[in-house]
Amino acid sequence: QLVESGGGLVQPGGSLTLSCSASGIIFSAYAMGWYRQAPGKQRELVASITRGGSTNYEDSVKGRFTISRDNAKNTVYLQMNSLKPEDTAVYYCNADSLRGITYWGQGTQVTVSS
């Protein structure tokens, strides 16, 4: 089970940190990712982190977002800075075993608006 938290309403230029807590899986064995889906758009990968800690980012968030993981706490984070209205979306946490098993969280809404 994946449970996201930390979403909310923030002004442009502001910051938010999303958290995703995992249970029932061997967290350290999973690659983790944050996806987002804006109204009328397809779900897209925002950032990912491998089991070894290597990270990858979608171009539009590079330099603004940081993904990290704490295997001791079974948690993955997404630090989001310099938020823009176009970052508004439902953000989903994903766990991928890379062996055909994936899990999704329920999503958390992020709204960037003045």
Side-chain angles (χ1 to χ4, degrees), residues 1-2 20-35 47-55 67-72 74-77 93-105:
Q1 181 182 10
L2 302 177
C20 172
S21 178
S23 61
I25 63 172
I26 302 174
F27 181 77
S28 61
Y30 284 74
M32 301 298 297
W34 284 98
Y35 289 71
S48 62
I49 185 166
T50 67
R51 292 171 294 181
S54 297
T55 58
I67 188 171
S68 61
R69 65 189 298 162
D70 186 337
N71 289 342
N74 289 353
T75 301
V76 62
Y77 305 94
C93 178
N94 171 268
D96 190 342
S97 71
L98 304 182
R99 296 181 180 182
I101 299 174
T102 63
Y103 298 94
W104 291 93

Side-chain angles (χ1 to χ4, degrees), residues 48-102:
S48 62
I49 185 166
T50 67
R51 292 171 294 181
S54 297
T55 58
N56 187 56
Y57 298 93
E58 194 268 330
D59 285 345
S60 70
V61 308
K62 286 180 180 177
R64 299 189 299 122
F65 290 10
T66 302
I67 188 171
S68 61
R69 65 189 298 162
D70 186 337
N71 289 342
K73 295 183 178 180
N74 289 353
T75 301
V76 62
Y77 305 94
L78 186 67
Q79 173 69 43
M80 304 185 293
N81 299 325
S82 302
L83 282 161
K84 304 175 181 180
E86 51 264 43
D87 294 318
T88 296
V90 178
Y91 283 72
Y92 297 90
C93 178
N94 171 268
D96 190 342
S97 71
L98 304 182
R99 296 181 180 182
I101 299 174
T102 63

